[in-house]
Amino acid sequence: MTEQLPIIIILGPLMAAVLAAFAGWFRPKLSHPLVLLGLAASFAAALKLVFIVADGGTQKYWLGGWGDKVIPGQKDPFVVGIQITVDHLNTLLLAAVSGIALLTAIYAKRLVDTELAGRQRYFDALFALLVTGLLGISITGDIFNLYVFMEIAALSSYALIAYGKSRAYMASFNYLIMGTMGACLYLLGIGFIFIKGGTLNIDDLSGIIPTLQADGPSQALFVGFILIILGAWAKMAFFPFHGWLPNAYTYAPTASASVLAPLATKVAVYAMLRIMLTVYSIDYIVGLNGIQPIALYLSTAAIVMGSFLSLTQTNLKMIACYFVISEIGYMVGGAWLANKPGLTGAMYHLVADAAMTSALFMAIGCIVYRLGQAQLESLRGVFFKMPVTMTAFVVTMAALIGVPPTCGFFSKWYLIQGAAQAGVWHFVVALLLSSLVKAIILFRIVEIGYNRVPHPAIQGNPAIERKEAPLSMLIPTLVMALGLIVLGLYTDTLVGTNTIIGKAVSAALTP
Amino acid sequence: MENLIANFNYVIVVILMMIGLWAMLAQKNLIKKCIGMAIFQTGIILFFISIGAKNEAKVPILSKFVAENPPAIIVNDYANPLTQILMLTAIVVGVAILGVGLALAQKIYQQYSTFDEDEILENQRK
């Protein structure tokens, strides 16, 4: 049974998507439980695999049993099929993606019922399809398969965004153009790798690529690498390809944004990490003269620009979107530092940031559900009206700023350490500046939400009625916010030398 | 120069991709952007098909005799089937994206009665 676990991770949501679309035809009420069931199966399998991988190392699975066939007369096993790999690099991400998707599915039910009445079953099916794509990107061991899953995720996210009001169509169209360009560049890059390597299997390629470079650097491999990295950057909204993200996630329905914002960009970062660390290698990246500093400067620019633009916004959703852009800068920068603390920070931040962004968008969704909008000015008295939601919100903001017991502190700590070790001081400054800006925004929200109304506890002031979001939304939000602290407290069991992330980093650093 | 003539298919691929990329990024008309997207994808498909082709290569299906005697397989006699299969998938993906893109463009037209990006932006500002 355990050897079938990797495929269950993808099959759960995929089957749920198909069944939800059909069952919804006859019994619209069935579609949501089906999606929950599929995601729960996927999450259970992913969680079990985390422990299996932590103890037993990499787990491989061949689709349909094709692969590892030994042909008579040839020494090496012949790879035909598509491989699915769960190793130290992606197992935590798989658990995070499926777990967050499950929580978001529970959370989004009420939002979907109000925002998309009558179209719930389409949303449910698309949601499950999106999660299938994201999990597929994270689990696949084949670079072309990665492209296909990337497009599955992208197509469902275009539709999910276009469900929104007024400007959503235009935002979705811009995302479609940018996303397709990114995917096409990625596909072109695969072509170059395939010309030289002759295989698409990631494990095979990681062995072949060094031998191809024995007599000096190969131009085709270099071009392929650059194209793939550019494609991944366009997909993850890295500066200067970030233009599509704020509008797309702001005008999307709140339910769609709460699953897209935390997961879609993070998975694209993982795809970049996989190409950089497994297909190519750390030595290759360090050996690329001039590319590494450019990537680091761009990361700094992404962080600084995302932070400053978030200061100029008046809509809470828009602010959160610019946070996403600056967080992307953290991870790309950490990966390109190419030293031990930098990579640790980037890999840890991948999981931590998925959780933080998810909690942030969930809290914003609760506010939007009650207030009907997310303009900063409309937040007056919100701390008295929704104290529990705002507690979760403040905890999340604390994590984003990097206050010690939360996970945001530890990932930033490693990133700063890595940048200092590599002597990249502009990145250190950008990281600290970003914390500062987030603190300013938190204080501004506290000022509007707490201070701009007469305090209701003082006699004579008008009382403010408490009106929390419904429990089905509030509980996932609180679980997520609590998760940020728990994740922070368990940092040592995740990033120490002999732990999952620790092993992933040392595997990346030793050729 | 001889190199260019011998590999004219790659030259065409590059030209197609440049046209597509330019149309996607620089054109203001949403339908033209969609057309650019299709051209870009066609360029990539041609590129992959070109790298799989070989002079005087056979269809990659093994006869029973050859299959039973692996050393008799001469790889250079067969065209690489993998690129064509990959492009079959890529064509499907491309058609799906084009469909979604055109559907979105249609919705935008219903909303603003124009395909022009500048006019839409002006409309949004009002």
Side-chain angles (χ1 to χ4, degrees):
Chain A
M1 185 57 200
T2 38
E3 69 269 19
Q4 300 292 338
L5 281 176
I7 193 67
I8 292 175
I9 293 180
I10 313 178
L11 275 188
L14 180 64
M15 287 297 140
V18 177
L19 289 178
F22 280 108
W25 212 280
F26 307 105
R27 294 254 165 99
K29 281 205 159 36
L30 261 180
S31 62
H32 190 253
L34 275 171
V35 169
L36 285 187
L37 198 69
L39 291 174
S42 170
F43 180 53
L47 209 57
K48 180 89 181 99
L49 269 171
V50 171
F51 293 104
I52 294 178
V53 169
D55 293 337
T58 308
Q59 301 291 314
K60 289 179 185 177
Y61 181 90
W62 294 96
L63 281 183
W66 284 91
D68 262 350
K69 293 263 181 292
V70 181
I71 289 188
Q74 277 181 335
K75 202 175 70 203
D76 296 325
F78 187 58
V79 174
V80 200
I82 293 168
Q83 186 189 355
I84 283 180
T85 323
V86 184
D87 61 6
H88 295 105
L89 182 54
N90 64 0
T91 180
L92 276 181
L93 184 71
L94 284 168
V97 169
S98 52
I100 289 171
L102 180 62
L103 266 183
T104 314
I106 298 169
Y107 162 89
K109 179 84 174 90
R110 285 295 283 267
L111 276 172
V112 177
D113 283 347
T114 51
E115 281 183 343
L116 306 167
R119 292 182 290 181
Q120 290 101 325
R121 60 173 191 269
Y122 305 121
F123 179 87
D124 288 335
L126 283 169
F127 185 99
L129 208 55
L130 171 77
V131 178
T132 312
L134 297 176
L135 288 170
I137 298 173
S138 327
I139 203 173
T140 185
D142 181 288
I143 45 175
F144 186 77
N145 203 232
L146 204 154
Y147 163 77
V148 175
F149 276 121
M150 210 182 237
E151 288 303 64
I152 291 175
L155 277 168
S156 29
S157 57
Y158 305 145
L160 282 173
I161 289 168
Y163 270 137
K165 294 191 191 98
S166 67
R167 296 189 190 179
Y169 293 129
M170 198 57 206
S172 180
F173 189 85
N174 283 336
Y175 179 22
L176 184 134
I177 293 292
M178 211 59 203
T180 310
M181 203 183 78
C184 284
L185 290 177
Y186 178 85
L187 184 58
L188 204 58
I190 293 176
F192 281 92
I193 293 183
F194 182 68
I195 292 174
K196 291 301 273 189
T199 176
L200 296 166
N201 186 294
I202 289 177
D203 282 353
D204 280 4
L205 279 173
S206 70
I208 290 171
I209 284 182
T211 60
L212 293 173
Q213 313 236 54
D215 323 321
S218 149
Q219 290 286 325
L221 285 176
F222 174 71
V223 173
F225 179 75
I226 295 296
L227 285 172
I228 286 182
I229 293 295
L230 284 178
W233 282 356
K235 279 277 180 196
M236 73 177 80
F238 184 57
F239 181 84
F241 306 108
H242 62 279
W244 57 268
L245 189 138
N247 277 347
Y249 290 174
T250 304
Y251 298 117
T254 319
S256 311
S258 58
V259 64
L260 281 168
L263 301 182
T265 47
K266 255 44 85 186
V267 168
V269 174
Y270 161 77
M272 183 193 76
L273 275 176
R274 177 61 87 189
I275 298 291
M276 279 169 64
L277 301 180
T278 314
V279 176
Y280 288 82
S281 60
I282 268 302
D283 294 341
Y284 186 83
I285 292 156
V286 177
L288 291 174
N289 278 331
I291 306 291
Q292 199 181 6
I294 292 173
L296 286 169
Y297 275 117
L298 284 178
S299 316
T300 303
I303 297 173
V304 171
M305 191 236 32
S307 302
F308 276 110
L309 285 180
S310 67
L311 273 180
T312 65
Q313 301 301 321
T314 55
N315 185 320
L316 204 51
K317 273 187 180 178
M318 212 52 136
I319 291 174
C321 288
Y322 281 106
F323 282 176
V324 172
I325 293 176
S326 69
E327 302 279 323
I328 293 293
Y330 287 25
M331 284 173 278
V332 177
W336 280 89
L337 284 173
N339 57 14
K340 194 173 172 214
L343 283 174
T344 312
M347 286 178 198
Y348 182 60
H349 200 68
L350 206 59
V351 179
D353 189 45
M356 288 192 287
T357 318
S358 172
L360 183 66
F361 271 79
M362 279 184 181
I364 292 174
C366 289
I367 296 169
V368 172
Y369 186 82
R370 275 295 171 228
L371 303 184
Q373 54 175 331
Q375 293 296 324
L376 283 183
E377 282 308 307
S378 68
L379 293 179
R380 285 177 193 208
V382 75
F383 277 86
F384 302 110
K385 198 174 174 186
M386 321 172 71
V388 183
T389 311
M390 291 318 279
T391 312
F393 182 80
V394 170
V395 169
T396 311
M397 284 301 291
L400 282 164
I401 294 165
V403 179
T406 57
C407 54
F409 167 75
F410 294 99
S411 55
K412 202 168 268 189
W413 171 252
Y414 280 107
L415 287 172
I416 289 177
Q417 231 181 320
Q421 205 179 77
V424 188
W425 297 106
H426 58 86
F427 193 59
V428 178
V429 172
L431 285 170
L432 296 174
L433 195 78
S434 153
S435 285
L436 192 69
V437 167
K438 277 162 190 155
I440 292 172
I441 284 176
L442 174 62
F443 291 142
R444 190 196 266 173
I445 289 166
V446 169
E447 203 264 327
I448 294 172
Y450 195 84
N451 295 347
R452 287 235 186 123
V453 283
H455 200 292
I458 298 170
Q459 220 175 10
N461 284 340
I464 295 175
E465 192 195 355
R466 265 188 70 169
K467 212 174 176 196
E468 288 287 350
L471 277 184
S472 71
M473 293 171 70
L474 201 56
I475 291 172
T477 313
L478 287 177
V479 170
M480 218 57 234
L482 201 65
L484 299 179
I485 299 173
V486 174
L487 201 61
L489 293 178
Y490 280 90
T491 308
D492 264 358
T493 48
L494 291 176
V495 300
T497 37
N498 231 350
T499 55
I500 293 176
I501 293 179
K503 277 182 188 165
V505 172
S506 53
L509 287 175
T510 46
Chain B
M1 192 65 206
E2 260 173 45
N3 211 352
L4 281 184
I5 294 165
N7 295 319
F8 71 98
N9 45 351
Y10 293 105
V11 177
I12 292 172
V13 164
V14 170
I15 293 171
L16 277 179
M17 285 196 298
M18 288 301 116
I19 294 172
L21 205 56
W22 170 76
M24 273 164 89
L25 295 177
Q27 284 292 332
K28 292 288 172 203
N29 190 310
L30 302 186
I31 297 293
K32 284 184 186 168
K33 276 180 189 259
C34 285
I35 295 172
M37 206 162 74
I39 296 175
F40 193 36
Q41 280 166 344
T42 313
I44 292 174
I45 290 165
L46 272 178
F47 170 72
F48 267 83
I49 297 299
S50 300
I51 63 179
K54 282 175 197 164
N55 266 344
E56 296 175 10
K58 278 187 274 188
V59 182
I61 298 172
L62 298 185
S63 66
K64 196 158 181 262
F65 167 77
V66 179
E68 280 163 3
N69 301 283
I73 302 173
I74 299 164
V75 179
N76 277 337
D77 284 355
Y78 299 95
N80 190 337
L82 193 60
T83 56
Q84 303 186 9
I85 293 161
L86 297 183
M87 284 310 102
L88 218 52
T89 319
I91 289 169
V92 175
V93 171
V95 168
I97 291 174
L98 192 61
V100 175
L102 289 174
L104 283 173
Q106 190 198 15
K107 282 285 182 191
I108 293 167
Y109 189 79
Q110 284 172 359
Q111 206 176 358
Y112 301 105
S113 309
T114 175
F115 281 127
D116 192 278
E117 210 177 12
D118 290 340
E119 282 177 39
I120 292 167
L121 284 178
E122 219 166 274
N123 247 317
Q124 285 181 344
R125 263 188 219 109
K126 276 177 202 163

